[in-house]
Amino acid sequence: MNNTLPTSIVIFGASGDLTQRKLVPSLFNLFRKGRMPKKFRIVGSGNTAFSEDQFHARLADGMKQFASFKYSEEEWKNFASNLTYQQGRYTDLADFKKLGGILDKWDGGTGNRIYYMATPPDIFPNIIDLLGLSGQLRENGGWRRVVIEKPFGIDLASAQSLNAQIHKTLTENQIYRIDHYLGKETVQNILVTRFANTIFEPLWNRNYIDHVEITVAEQVGVEHRAGYYDTIGVVRDMLQNHLLQLVSLVAMEPPSSFEASALRNEKVKVLSSIQPVKQENILNNTVLAQYKGYRAEEGVKADSTTPTYAALRLQIDNWRWQGVPFYLRSGKQLAQKLSQITIEFKEPPHLLFPTAQGRITPNMLVLYLQPDEGIHWRFEAKVPDTAADMRSVDMEFHYADSFGKTAIPESYERLLLDALAGDASLFTRADEVETAWALIDPIIETWDAQKQPLPEYKSGDWGPAEADKLLSRDGRSWSNWDGRVG
Ligand code: BG6
């Protein structure tokens, strides 16, 4: 594909939060690093009647609030000269034809184009239809790609119908379904840790690993997103996508290459090996809860049963993972913002050393995804000047120490760069998204059928007591690393 052609990035939903907070700062940083195509234009599109000046002012203001890097006014001015705004309705073919005409005029109709869906999800199908009907998705010299934000559907049926619908106008390799967790350096580093080192992989299986725990905890509540969140909840917002993506990266077999289809085939294999939680076991293997005060948040229904916390026990039915539970949890208004994957190893088969309960603290490998990105290894060491007392110590790698405090870019930078380069490795494929929904649907249905209110947890806690029971029943507990979690 020709990447020297003029490239347009059209953002639908340009007046929204994502554009201001993430997309424009990321594109600007790519520009500063000299990674944008030589000739490019970013066209914001939306219902709002912005003048060019208002649009620029809004984005400049967003940069001041949200950019995680320093820049000069001159850099911004240079970048902003490529930014324009085009008001348009998402339901009007005439407006789409007008947009197409403007782009054709700029790139001669043969340029490369990315259409980015940053609107509320119920509008995606309409936009894609109208892009197709206005002839903008036909590749005629340059490539045409569509980037689709999450959530991709709200259940299996809607994801299937969205896939069927977009496949009418686009081939799968023109579609880039975003899961911003895959843009995180630390998430990509799961694969490097596993497959660029020889020391981990021999241990990475049921013979040595007792269980895996994935925590994605947030301190914030619903903030200003209640309108969206209250209809979606944590299972659809976090588990179906971010957490299952993490499971697939931790559990996958080594792909033959880092090429998109090889990688995604392995991820789909993991998702399809996850034992569907049987209807009658769902309530035993999942915990949903709501933070106290959620129903009083602005925009949340007074009788809302939307969960803001979920914990889940999964089994992967294959040779590598048989009998190794994966415990997942995610929630809002928890004790701290923390995303981590804990690989807890089995205890040694025979204890040489006397210990208090005849047990020893198991080794742990903790992949800290955020905020203090790094990897910690916990192992036992002899306490000096004792006969044979032991204590857990840890070996720590922190990105900030090894690569500098500002080394980690915003996850959207990498994803936008890959979409421009035509590399779909870090985007979810149609079958992947559907397999994930197939796992999640029965959980949502079963909980929806419950007539009781959800358990509540205090904001600032680590979730409801029921979530602790999910592990204590198995003789385990959520990992307690340096007292940070637990
Ligand atoms: C988004 C969810 O996908 O991820 C949000 O919609 C959540 O509800 C966010 O807050 C968390 O992302 P991060 O990168 O801050 O962990």
Side-chain angles (χ1 to χ4, degrees):
M1 282 287 179
N2 191 344
N3 266 346
T4 57
L5 293 173
T7 302
S8 308
I9 300 166
V10 181
I11 304 176
F12 294 106
S15 54
D17 233 35
L18 184 74
T19 306
Q20 197 195 28
R21 273 175 194 260
K22 302 283 185 190
L23 302 181
V24 166
S26 298
L27 288 163
F28 177 33
N29 214 16
L30 289 173
F31 173 78
R32 292 175 62 243
K33 294 175 182 172
R35 295 181 183 169
M36 288 297 280
K38 218 163 171 189
K39 195 163 176 233
F40 73 94
R41 238 161 62 128
I42 298 167
V43 183
S45 171
N47 283 318
T48 314
F50 281 138
S51 68
E52 287 286 323
D53 284 351
Q54 285 169 326
F55 184 56
H56 279 231
R58 179 178 160 82
L59 298 180
D61 183 47
M63 285 304 304
K64 290 195 182 102
Q65 286 183 62
F66 306 118
S68 55
F69 52 89
K70 291 202 168 61
Y71 59 93
S72 68
E73 270 314 303
E74 199 190 339
E75 283 175 312
W76 172 252
K77 259 212 217 124
N78 287 340
F79 171 75
S81 65
N82 301 289
L83 277 174
T84 80
Y85 186 74
Q86 180 60 37
Q87 189 193 356
R89 283 157 298 185
Y90 299 129
T91 46
D92 192 333
L93 181 58
D95 283 0
F96 275 78
K97 286 190 172 153
K98 190 165 155 206
L99 172 70
I102 291 168
L103 296 171
D104 286 349
K105 213 159 145 200
W106 184 68
D107 67 9
T110 57
N112 295 329
R113 294 185 197 166
I114 285 185
Y115 295 95
Y116 197 114
M117 310 289 135
T119 61
D122 52 327
I123 317 177
F124 300 160
N126 231 325
I127 298 180
I128 294 169
D129 264 357
L130 294 177
L131 281 173
L133 285 173
S134 58
Q136 299 188 60
L137 298 176
R138 220 172 302 121
E139 295 192 329
N140 171 24
W143 44 253
R144 301 293 153 98
R145 297 177 187 145
V146 171
V147 179
I148 304 181
E149 263 298 330
K150 67 166 267 272
F152 193 90
I154 51 157
D155 55 16
L156 177 59
S158 57
Q160 281 171 330
S161 90
L162 185 52
N163 273 331
Q165 193 200 342
I166 59 183
H167 284 147
K168 277 195 238 154
T169 18
L170 293 160
T171 58
E172 180 61 25
N173 61 13
Q174 289 177 285
I175 306 166
Y176 292 74
R177 295 176 194 77
I178 287 244
D179 182 313
H180 81 278
Y181 264 59
L182 295 177
K184 291 185 190 282
E185 284 293 339
T186 46
V187 172
Q188 293 157 36
N189 195 44
I190 298 171
L191 296 185
V192 174
T193 304
R194 291 191 54 198
F195 304 132
N197 295 297
T198 42
I199 54 171
F200 301 115
E201 203 47 27
L203 306 179
W204 212 264
N205 57 56
R206 63 189 302 273
N207 297 324
Y208 294 97
I209 295 179
D210 179 77
H211 69 275
V212 175
E213 173 198 315
I214 302 182
T215 293
V216 176
E218 297 187 90
Q219 251 181 334
V220 292
V222 279
E223 300 179 290
H224 55 283
R225 295 167 74 225
Y228 154 80
Y229 193 88
D230 200 40
T231 60
I232 292 287
V234 65
V235 181
R236 293 185 170 101
D237 189 45
M238 302 294 287
L239 250 74
Q240 185 271 344
N241 35 72
H242 306 326
L243 277 93
L244 286 181
Q245 285 295 325
L246 297 176
V247 171
S248 63
L249 295 174
V250 169
M252 73 198 264
E253 294 303 315
S256 56
S257 72
F258 197 57
E259 188 268 320
S261 61
L263 193 76
R264 299 196 291 184
N265 286 346
E266 293 305 335
K267 283 163 65 193
V268 173
K269 271 198 233 163
V270 173
L271 294 176
S272 6
S273 312
I274 295 178
Q275 207 177 74
V277 191
K278 290 208 185 73
Q279 200 78 23
E280 61 274 21
N281 287 334
I282 286 177
L283 296 176
N284 276 335
N285 285 303
T286 55
V287 173
L288 300 192
Q290 212 176 53
Y291 62 80
K292 283 196 176 122
Y294 171 73
R295 292 191 299 277
E297 297 264 26
E298 201 185 325
V300 171
K301 286 203 292 309
D303 58 352
S304 171
T305 52
T306 301
T308 60
Y309 175 96
L312 169 62
R313 181 188 195 278
L314 288 180
Q315 275 305 137
I316 301 178
D317 262 346
N318 62 20
W319 276 58
R320 189 189 279 264
W321 295 114
Q322 195 55 244
V324 180
F326 278 62
Y327 300 102
L328 277 45
R329 64 174 168 172
S330 181
K332 293 206 184 277
Q333 292 226 341
L334 295 179
Q336 63 187 95
K337 182 170 174 71
L338 178 70
S339 299
Q340 64 173 30
I341 300 173
T342 305
I343 315 289
E344 188 164 316
F345 291 85
K346 293 189 170 173
E347 289 180 26
H350 171 63
L351 263 188
L352 282 184
F353 313 103
T355 59
Q357 282 92 28
R359 294 197 60 183
I360 196 164
T361 316
N363 297 145
M364 274 188 203
L365 181 71
V366 186
L367 311 178
Y368 280 109
L369 307 182
Q370 59 188 28
D372 181 6
E373 295 88 352
I375 298 181
H376 297 203
W377 243 131
R378 184 172 77 178
F379 55 95
E380 295 303 284
K382 177 175 173 292
V383 179
D385 206 18
T386 64
D389 287 1
M390 285 172 292
R391 212 186 72 196
S392 302
V393 292
D394 77 5
M395 254 165 35
E396 300 185 10
F397 148 60
H398 295 267
Y399 275 71
D401 297 339
S402 301
F403 299 111
K405 282 202 170 66
T406 54
I408 297 193
E410 168 56 55
S411 55
Y412 278 90
E413 262 187 50
R414 171 65 191 263
L415 296 174
L416 285 161
L417 191 63
D418 282 2
L420 284 164
D423 181 351
S425 314
L426 299 176
F427 295 83
T428 35
R429 205 167 59 187
D431 52 343
E432 198 175 345
V433 118
E434 290 180 13
T435 315
W437 277 121
L439 289 167
I440 291 298
D441 268 10
I443 298 173
I444 294 179
E445 280 160 21
T446 304
W447 276 90
D448 278 354
Q450 298 302 299
K451 296 286 172 253
Q452 296 137 5
L454 291 176
E456 288 189 321
Y457 58 99
K458 260 207 343 259
S459 98
D461 271 2
W462 277 108
E466 288 80 352
D468 294 336
K469 288 191 206 128
L470 186 72
L471 272 75
S472 60
R473 252 188 6 226
D474 296 349
R476 301 187 173 99
S477 56
W478 295 103
S479 67
N480 184 356
W481 185 260
D482 288 356
R484 272 182 259 196
V485 189

